[in-house]
């Protein structure tokens, strides 16, 4: 069983202190009776804290339902709370009945004796490659879901779009996402890195996190992502040319990180053609 400890820096209530440390009310209610301690003693829901107190949370062992499978997947970053992985294309996150990224995470957990469920902080489509952040426990998941992090993507698109901000209202409709005035606002920043004849390599920064946001945005400006079978045109033997290449975040200790990846081989191969 893993423990996480916090040092109290001023007089406050337990629930207020934990909220400031990114533990939600629902999570607090679910664990305070058995798994929160103040200076080694069981905490009460209305406990008061003094400067210098130590709050400890027990993370009970959990059942992990995914079979551990080693794969040739790059671990870009690791600390006590998270992994950042470089997911290949043509791999699902956690689809039942087939090998997925969750199986590789389960393998990493087994190697490190982490007895927790697999918790993804961000997700990518099956044919999108790139950075995926994985929480090692539910406290880390709560922290990173509450604290925003910047994500950037690379894409090969049809046409030669200009640098621009794309703002759309999007709504999920079955397997697709549609533009809908009553949908949720999405904002994407596009930078054209280089033109390759009738195609371009572009950088895309997400200021919001809507499902298929990039893919719909590129279709909207008539520059669909190459090999995007849902919003563009399918190309045999190619996954869609979309790759999450960069993520910026502040970790649970307050340190800043910028994690980047190399251009995927399938991008290099396509641009050579």
């Amino acid at each position: 069983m893993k423990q996480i400890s916090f040092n109290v820096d001023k007089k406050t209530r337990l629930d207020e202190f934990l909220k400031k440390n990114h533990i939600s009310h629902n999570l607090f209610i679910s664990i305070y009776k058995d798994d929160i301690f103040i200076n080694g003693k069981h905490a009460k829901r209305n406990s008061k804290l003094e400067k210098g107190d130590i709050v400890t949370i027990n993370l009970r062992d959990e059942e992990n339902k995914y079979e551990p499978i080693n794969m040739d997947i790059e671990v870009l970053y690791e600390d006590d709370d998270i992994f950042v992985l470089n997911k290949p294309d043509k791999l699902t996150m956690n689809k039942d009945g087939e090998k997925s990224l969750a199986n590789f995470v389960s393998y990493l957990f087994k190697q490190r004796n982490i007895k927790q469920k697999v918790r993804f902080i961000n997700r990518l489509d099956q044919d999108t490659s790139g950075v995926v952040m994985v929480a090692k426990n539910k406290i880390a998941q709560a922290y990173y879901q509450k604290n925003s992090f910047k994500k950037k993507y690379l894409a090969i698109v049809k046409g030669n779009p200009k640098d621009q901000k794309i703002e759309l209202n999007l709504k999920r409709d079955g397997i697709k996402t549609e533009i809908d005035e009553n949908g949720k606002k999405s904002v994407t920043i596009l930078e054209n890195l280089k033109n390759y004849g009738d195609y371009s390599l572009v950088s895309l920064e997400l200021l919001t996190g809507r499902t298929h946001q990039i893919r719909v945005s590129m279709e909207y400006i008539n520059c669909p992502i190459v090999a995007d079978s849902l919003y563009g045109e399918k190309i045999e033997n190619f996954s869609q040319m979309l790759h999450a290449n960069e993520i910026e975040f502040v970790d649970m200790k307050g340190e800043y990180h910028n994690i980047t990846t190399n251009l995927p081989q399938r991008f290099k191969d396509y641009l050579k053609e």
Side-chain angles (χ1 to χ4, degrees):
M1 180 169 61
K2 180 181 173 62
Q3 292 184 324
I4 296 179
S5 296
F6 301 89
N7 295 314
V8 179
D9 57 0
K10 65 179 181 180
K11 188 174 182 178
T12 185
R13 287 202 331 247
L14 176 64
D15 58 341
E16 292 178 344
F17 176 78
L18 292 177
K19 184 178 180 181
K20 289 181 180 178
N21 283 279
H22 316 291
I23 295 174
S24 68
H25 176 74
N26 289 339
L27 179 55
F28 168 66
I29 294 300
S30 71
I31 64 177
Y32 83 89
K33 288 183 179 179
D34 301 313
D35 295 317
I36 300 182
F37 299 82
I38 302 171
N39 302 325
K41 297 180 180 179
H42 275 291
K44 296 181 180 179
R45 184 172 176 177
N46 59 351
S47 294
K48 302 291 192 299
L49 300 176
E50 300 289 338
K51 183 177 180 179
D53 285 345
I54 298 176
V55 176
T56 302
I57 299 176
N58 286 342
L59 293 171
R60 293 179 179 268
D61 293 347
E62 297 175 324
E63 182 181 356
N64 180 357
K65 69 177 184 178
Y66 297 101
E67 177 188 358
I69 301 176
N70 190 13
M71 303 181 202
D72 184 19
I73 295 177
E74 183 181 10
V75 178
L76 298 165
Y77 171 82
E78 179 181 3
D79 62 25
D80 291 340
D81 305 297
I82 63 168
F83 294 105
V84 179
L85 308 177
N86 189 7
K87 184 186 94 66
D89 62 307
K90 300 181 180 179
L91 184 69
T92 66
M93 299 293 292
N94 57 346
K95 188 174 181 180
D96 291 337
E98 64 181 63
K99 187 166 67 173
S100 69
L101 187 62
N103 295 114
F104 179 65
V105 174
S106 185
Y107 170 79
L108 294 176
F109 279 12
K110 184 177 181 180
Q111 277 194 320
R112 292 154 175 76
N113 197 31
I114 298 171
K115 297 178 180 178
Q116 297 287 302
K117 294 179 180 178
V118 174
R119 294 177 167 92
F120 293 115
I121 298 169
N122 69 301
R123 306 178 73 88
L124 297 175
D125 295 330
Q126 177 176 344
D127 287 339
T128 301
S129 54
V131 290
V132 172
M133 188 181 291
V134 184
K136 293 184 176 181
N137 57 70
K138 57 189 174 184
I139 305 300
Q141 181 187 38
Y143 169 82
Y144 283 102
Q145 286 183 340
K146 188 173 181 180
N147 288 267
S148 61
F149 43 87
K150 288 185 178 180
K151 294 181 290 183
K152 289 186 178 180
Y153 290 72
L154 294 174
I156 302 175
V157 302
K158 289 187 176 182
N160 305 131
K162 63 181 180 180
D163 295 353
Q164 60 190 285
K165 178 191 289 187
I166 306 168
E167 298 183 86
L168 301 171
N169 289 341
L170 301 179
K171 184 178 180 180
R172 194 71 187 268
D173 185 11
I175 65 170
K176 295 189 71 174
T177 295
E178 304 286 353
I179 298 171
D180 188 313
E181 62 180 9
N182 296 316
K184 295 181 179 180
K185 183 178 180 180
S186 72
V187 183
T188 306
I189 306 297
L190 182 154
E191 179 186 0
N192 189 331
L193 300 178
K194 187 176 181 180
N195 293 332
Y196 291 82
D198 295 333
Y199 299 92
S200 298
L201 177 65
V202 301
S203 173
L204 299 148
E205 180 179 354
L206 295 180
L207 302 189
T208 54
R210 311 302 178 210
T211 301
H212 296 176
Q213 175 177 325
I214 289 176
R215 298 166 69 184
V216 177
S217 296
M218 299 315 297
E219 179 193 36
Y220 173 75
I221 65 169
N222 296 314
C223 295
I225 295 170
V226 170
D228 185 344
S229 60
L230 197 58
Y231 299 95
E233 183 179 352
K234 182 177 180 179
I235 300 178
E236 292 296 330
N237 301 321
F238 274 99
S239 296
Q240 64 193 21
M241 296 297 168
L242 181 60
H243 176 76
N245 73 306
E246 183 176 349
I247 191 167
E248 298 180 34
F249 61 91
V250 176
D251 68 22
M252 294 181 68
K253 296 178 181 178
E255 297 180 3
Y256 168 81
H257 299 272
N258 178 268
I259 310 296
T260 61
T261 69
N262 295 323
L263 192 68
Q265 187 61 45
R266 73 183 192 281
F267 277 52
K268 296 177 183 178
D269 293 342
Y270 191 86
L271 292 173
K272 282 181 183 178
E273 294 181 0

